[in-house]
Amino acid sequence: MRKIIIPILMLIILLQKSFAQIQEFQIQFELRFENQKIYCDFVPLEDYQVIGMQFGVNHNSDQVTFDTLYSDVLDNLFRKNFNEICPRKVLMAWNSNSNKNVQLKKGQRFLTIEYSEIQPTDHFICLMPSFGIFCESMPREVIYTNGSSFVEYKVNDACIEYKIKDGVIIVDSENPLSDQFNSYFDQTSNTLQLLSNESPGSTWCQLSIYDLNGLSFYSKKLLGTGIHLNLDDLPSGMYFYVIRKNNVSVSQGRFVKMH
């Protein structure tokens, strides 16, 4: 596998960073579809000061090509495109040229990935799991300086499910049916629970479980309003699940199975 060269300042930051004051770094993905290209904008949910960052992004489709990664806010952006070696992946790293914090403003995009899909269908795009530098994972690091030391944010998950229909991006959160269903994963009992406010016996759903590389691990048709599905047989790892009704996504989420 080809090696990833992380900027020297980033290595220094990783060696010197302090974990005394860990704050959350939260972003969301916003999608645009223009001229047969998809643009995924990274939008912070709060104001942040940052001096360096690195992470990976993964798409679940085999038929996607990442074209460009750019920013109007971050200078000296370092990008490694893994289309040829690891399809559907982009790894990135950045550090401030001035060795000073750069401000990310709440609600204003600071990074954009441009990509193409050969056959647009139901897809999702996510930050990769935070482990070593491999095709399946990439350490997530977002760091700022408080003037005397470097401090690391805790980087939360970011993921968005969508489809393209008639030239328009349709994001799952825009689906009015999503308010009718609630789901969550209980790590203690390894149970995925689905609750619906519809009438008893009227809820037919299709559950699909994927790993973060888009590989399907589980698919089952479900009936009921209070479903408790035991997943003891599922291998340990991080997963993304989608619940659909009439081929429309009504609920989704991520969970980590520990044992």
Side-chain angles (χ1 to χ4, degrees):
M1 179 181 296
R2 193 177 302 174
K3 294 181 179 179
I4 303 297
I5 302 175
I6 300 179
I8 294 176
L9 176 60
M10 179 65 70
L11 291 176
I12 295 175
I13 290 173
L14 296 180
L15 291 174
Q16 296 183 352
K17 64 189 177 182
S18 167
F19 294 91
Q21 303 176 12
I22 296 180
Q23 303 179 38
E24 290 189 345
F25 183 82
Q26 301 182 73
I27 61 172
Q28 67 182 15
F29 294 150
E30 295 182 357
L31 300 180
R32 296 174 283 130
F33 187 59
E34 301 172 3
N35 299 321
Q36 302 303 310
K37 297 280 188 177
I38 301 172
Y39 298 85
C40 179
D41 296 325
F42 291 60
V43 178
L45 299 182
E46 300 292 341
D47 290 338
Y48 296 106
Q49 298 286 333
V50 296
I51 197 171
M53 67 175 66
Q54 64 177 357
F55 48 77
V57 177
N58 171 73
H59 193 285
N60 74 310
S61 173
D62 287 322
Q63 299 185 351
V64 62
T65 300
F66 289 104
D67 300 311
T68 307
L69 185 149
Y70 59 90
S71 175
D72 296 327
V73 179
L74 308 177
D75 53 12
N76 192 32
L77 188 65
F78 172 86
R79 177 176 66 93
K80 179 62 182 178
N81 194 321
F82 262 58
N83 281 326
E84 298 83 8
I85 303 173
C86 302
R88 311 169 306 188
K89 313 291 192 301
V90 168
L91 309 184
M92 67 81 64
W94 165 83
N95 55 258
S96 173
N97 270 340
S98 64
N99 296 333
K100 297 180 180 179
N101 288 327
V102 172
Q103 183 177 14
L104 305 184
K105 295 183 179 181
K106 178 181 178 180
Q108 297 184 13
R109 69 173 182 256
F110 66 91
L111 189 69
T112 298
I113 295 178
E114 175 188 340
Y115 61 97
S116 306
E117 295 180 3
I118 298 175
Q119 292 182 345
T121 181
D122 291 0
H123 290 154
F124 60 82
I125 185 169
C126 299
L127 285 182
M128 292 167 65
S130 182
F131 301 110
I133 302 176
F134 306 108
C135 286
E136 296 79 16
S137 62
M138 173 71 174
R140 297 183 196 169
E141 304 279 356
V142 179
I143 301 167
Y144 69 95
T145 177
N146 60 14
S148 59
S149 63
F150 294 107
V151 185
E152 182 185 19
Y153 290 103
K154 176 183 179 293
V155 184
N156 292 345
D157 288 340
C159 204
I160 189 168
E161 184 190 5
Y162 67 96
K163 61 183 176 181
I164 301 174
K165 184 176 181 181
D166 299 328
V168 177
I169 290 276
I170 301 175
V171 177
D172 179 75
S173 61
E174 298 171 355
N175 178 7
L177 290 177
S178 60
D179 292 336
Q180 300 177 10
F181 293 81
N182 293 302
S183 56
Y184 66 95
F185 182 76
D186 185 341
Q187 287 189 341
T188 303
S189 61
N190 288 330
T191 301
L192 183 64
Q193 303 188 25
L194 169 65
L195 303 176
S196 170
N197 59 16
E198 292 190 350
S199 301
S202 65
T203 304
W204 280 100
C205 296
Q206 183 75 30
L207 168 68
S208 300
I209 298 177
Y210 309 88
D211 67 9
L212 291 187
N213 293 310
L215 178 64
S216 177
F217 271 78
Y218 190 93
S219 183
K220 185 174 182 179
K221 197 170 186 179
L222 307 174
L223 173 64
T225 57
I227 298 168
H228 301 266
L229 186 65
N230 186 275
L231 299 175
D232 278 336
D233 294 335
L234 201 67
S236 299
M238 184 178 294
Y239 296 92
F240 182 91
Y241 66 88
V242 181
I243 299 171
R244 295 181 173 88
K245 182 177 181 181
N246 298 325
N247 294 321
V248 176
S249 174
V250 294
S251 187
Q252 82 288 319
R254 296 172 298 282
F255 66 89
V256 176
K257 185 174 183 294
M258 303 299 294
H259 55 82

